Amino acid sequence: MDTFWNPEHFRIDPSRPLYEQFVEQIRADIARGLLVPGTRLPSVRELAAAIRVNPTTIMRTYQELERSKLIVTFRGQGTFVTENTDVIEACKRALAKDAVQKLREVAESIGLTLDELLDLAKREEE
């Protein structure tokens, strides 16, 4: 899981809370399959040290991911990506829905419907 350990993997937007950004990025990595089911995640301290943030930020990140059931912690064993494929599929659907909403907003901002924007994109690919 090289990309997970690489501090440059995390892109930081100083205008938003760090833990929210880490939640989004780890959630996306799980949805994309970069973090496969059953992958052991670094401890809170290990990850905090690797990306140079306060351990409380990582603890909050992990708590949020656990609340959404994307990761599970087993006392004395560590924290792992869930093996529940239904949870992962639901995550993918939620990310796709968000992406469609953003695309719809872009289309509307330039005076197009979502379908018109998609048609334009299809023509550009041909």
Side-chain angles (χ1 to χ4, degrees):
M1 211 32 263
D2 295 346
T3 58
F4 193 77
W5 282 96
N6 184 350
E8 286 81 38
H9 173 69
F10 290 101
R11 297 166 308 281
I12 306 299
D13 175 357
S15 69
R16 296 181 46 231
L18 285 176
Y19 88 93
E20 287 179 3
Q21 295 176 65
F22 294 151
V23 166
E24 287 174 5
Q25 291 176 31
I26 294 170
R27 182 179 290 140
D29 284 352
I30 292 170
R32 280 197 295 268
L34 294 175
L35 282 170
V36 297
T39 300
R40 185 178 188 282
L41 301 179
S43 72
V44 168
R45 288 184 187 183
E46 290 170 332
L47 185 55
I51 59 177
R52 298 185 202 129
V53 297
N54 188 309
T56 305
T57 300
I58 301 305
M59 186 171 20
R60 195 164 177 194
T61 298
Y62 279 13
Q63 288 170 342
E64 184 65 28
L65 290 165
E66 273 194 276
R67 202 174 355 267
S68 63
K69 299 181 175 43
L70 285 170
I71 65 172
V72 291
T73 300
F74 299 106
R75 193 173 301 279
Q77 296 178 4
T79 302
F80 300 84
V81 174
T82 186
E83 293 189 14
N84 184 331
T85 55
D86 291 339
V87 170
I88 294 171
E89 285 302 314
C91 173
K92 287 179 184 181
R93 284 192 304 276
L95 290 171
K97 185 177 176 181
D98 289 345
V100 169
Q101 181 57 36
K102 288 177 185 169
L103 191 56
R104 179 175 283 116
E105 290 168 8
V106 168
E108 289 173 1
S109 76
I110 58 174
L112 298 174
T113 67
L114 179 58
D115 287 335
E116 289 170 334
L117 184 62
L118 292 174
D119 287 342
L120 180 62
K122 285 178 189 174
R123 284 194 304 263
E124 287 296 317
E125 283 183 358
E126 294 173 354

